[in-house]
Amino acid sequence: MTDSTLLLHGLILGIVEGLTEFLPVSSTGHLILVGQWLGFNDDKGKVFEIAIQFAAILAVVWEYRVRLWHTVIGLKSEAMSQRLAFNLIIAFLPSAILGFLFLKQIKFYLFNPIVVASAFIVGGILILWAERRQHTIHAETIDEITWKDALKVGFAQALAMIPGTSRSGATIIGGLFFGLSRKTAAEFSFFLAIPTMFAATSYDVYKNRDLFSVDDIGLFAVGGIVSFISAFFAVRGLIRFISKHDFTVFAWYRIVFGILVLVSAQMGWVDWKQH
């Protein structure tokens, strides 16, 4: 690839990562599909995905910087800040422990088109179910979440280790099932993404450190900046969207995308096993 082609691919993948990371649609599935079509799915492409994922995390940190800073400075004396920090730790632990124990096996055995497509479709059906059932909400805000709620959402997040599930989808829909309001479920998912994705990204950077090169700074800069900007607008857009709508549109999108995964695998367009 020429430098200009690489930069264009970086820009496209940065947009895809930023727009899908925090929506309940699975950024991994979209990056695999688009990366394959662009011919940018080699080792450099996979390392690039790590870099732009980190940029997407920073978008959430920036959007919620006031609340995050207030939480940090209030840890010593403010019960509300202590409660949020404790809930995030509790919710983070299931994915951290299960990921450490089983991530290699999950990637080896479950990264195939049937599992990915099934996860998309089942996730869509669960969203439809969650939106059609009787809602019993006991947490209208993040400050009303109990440690038991946080632990349940944490186990829901652990399901996202199954390819195609979507981390944000699992935590948001899990939150709806466990009595969180739509906005609270989405915002807690955003906050939980910070330690979860930071830990996963740091591990991937360390594991693939030999693949990073000074020559790729331009590519990573373009992808990272675009990922940050698109993630920033995606997070804000989702909060505005769910203030007037439910998650049904994402359910149908997931079902259609799951069918696309099966078709792309059957036609040989995408090798879903290589990841």
Side-chain angles (χ1 to χ4, degrees):
M1 298 182 190
T2 63
D3 289 342
S4 59
T5 301
L6 272 176
L7 291 178
L8 177 61
H9 290 177
L11 186 147
I12 294 171
L13 287 170
I15 293 173
V16 172
E17 161 64 21
L19 291 180
T20 59
E21 183 62 55
F22 300 104
L23 302 183
V25 295
S26 178
S27 61
T28 301
H30 288 77
L31 287 173
I32 292 173
L33 192 66
V34 175
Q36 180 84 5
W37 283 346
L38 293 176
F40 191 35
N41 57 349
D42 55 6
D43 288 339
K44 179 181 287 189
K46 293 172 185 176
V47 170
F48 174 74
E49 290 177 11
I50 297 170
I52 59 177
Q53 186 180 58
F54 183 76
I57 303 172
L58 296 180
V60 171
V61 174
W62 176 255
E63 173 64 7
Y64 288 97
R65 62 193 181 280
V66 175
R67 178 60 192 271
L68 290 170
W69 179 245
H70 180 83
T71 299
V72 170
I73 62 176
L75 281 177
K76 289 185 177 180
S77 58
E78 189 176 272
M80 194 175 296
S81 296
Q82 294 168 353
R83 183 176 186 176
L84 176 57
F86 181 72
N87 284 342
L88 290 175
I89 293 171
I90 289 294
F92 168 72
L93 286 177
S95 291
I97 295 171
L98 293 174
F100 177 77
L101 294 175
F102 302 114
L103 188 58
K104 288 184 179 179
Q105 292 88 334
I106 289 172
K107 286 187 174 183
F108 182 79
Y109 290 107
L110 298 184
F111 241 122
N112 62 73
I114 301 298
V115 172
V116 173
S118 298
F120 268 104
I121 295 171
V122 170
I125 294 172
L126 286 175
I127 292 175
L128 292 175
W129 179 23
E131 290 293 3
R132 282 162 172 72
R133 65 195 285 271
Q134 182 67 36
H135 284 262
T136 303
I137 299 173
H138 68 261
E140 289 284 358
T141 68
I142 283 183
D143 296 323
E144 296 174 0
I145 295 176
T146 67
W147 71 267
K148 292 181 180 179
D149 296 328
L151 183 60
K152 292 175 184 177
V153 172
F155 278 110
Q157 178 176 251
L159 293 174
M161 289 186 289
I162 301 173
T165 300
S166 169
R167 191 210 62 81
S168 57
T171 52
I172 290 173
I173 302 309
L176 292 184
F177 276 112
F178 305 140
L180 278 59
S181 68
R182 290 190 184 92
K183 182 180 180 182
T184 300
E187 289 189 336
F188 190 70
S189 173
F190 297 156
F191 280 108
L192 183 54
I194 297 172
T196 302
M197 293 171 60
F198 183 79
T201 301
S202 299
Y203 173 73
D204 278 339
V205 167
Y206 175 77
K207 185 175 65 174
N208 297 286
R209 60 191 181 280
D210 294 336
L211 296 177
F212 285 90
S213 170
V214 176
D215 297 333
D216 296 324
I217 289 178
L219 171 66
F220 289 175
V222 169
I225 291 171
V226 173
S227 176
F228 177 93
I229 294 172
S230 53
F232 174 79
F233 284 109
V235 168
R236 282 199 169 183
L238 181 62
I239 294 298
R240 286 198 300 267
F241 179 84
I242 61 177
S243 67
K244 298 180 180 179
H245 307 86
D246 60 23
F247 289 101
T248 300
V249 64
F250 297 108
W252 289 113
Y253 180 87
R254 288 182 63 99
I255 292 169
V256 171
F257 197 92
I259 295 172
L260 177 60
V261 170
L262 291 176
V263 172
S264 65
Q266 183 66 31
M267 300 298 291
W269 297 339
V270 178
D271 181 7
W272 292 91
K273 296 180 181 180
Q274 67 177 326
H275 293 262

